[in-house]
Amino acid sequence: MKIKDSVVVITGGAKGLGKSLAKSFSSRGAHVVICDKNTDELDLTSKELGVTGISADVTNEAELSEVLKKVILQFGYVDIWVNNAGVWMPPVALEDVDMEKAKKLFEINVFGTIHGIRTASRQMKLQKSGTIVNIISTTAFDGMSGSSGSMYVASKYALRGLTSVVREEVKVNNIK
């Protein structure tokens, strides 16, 4: 995969893994756009790394569409879209799970990724190329129920299945 001069969008890019990915892509010559709903961290990280920062909440597909519009206006295309935004909740027995927190976790981890895939794939179909990366977690492969909690594991298993199906759907348009 060619990185130099590629346009890379990273959701949840203001801290943690997203920030590390932004730093790595940027150091390899990519044009990096990070989006995050935390505007303070977004501003700090974009200045620190010298990348473009755009405020967006992945649970709002319209906001991700606005990110894409700005990216297309600035660069004309997008090569790589990384669905990185995600949250975790402390593990508890299923009967003790705070269902409001669980719903929020699914809204961010699962539906936020779905919104990102939909947004990126629409543009990449027009371009007839692109790569969508979904950050899943090793828990999607081995469960690790004791350390990750049932709701987090369930959200990551959902992403694993989603990614497998979408991979087949989009490959006809040269999207990886």
Side-chain angles (χ1 to χ4, degrees), residues 78-93:
V78 61
D79 295 297
I80 302 167
W81 184 287
V82 181
N83 291 303
N84 171 68
V87 295
W88 176 83
M89 60 189 291
V92 296

Side-chain angles (χ1 to χ4, degrees), residues 109-126:
N109 291 2
V110 179
F111 289 100
T113 299
I114 291 170
H115 298 324
I117 293 169
R118 287 167 47 95
T119 300
S121 66
R122 287 180 182 123
Q123 176 63 33
M124 291 175 178
K125 282 181 182 180
L126 294 173

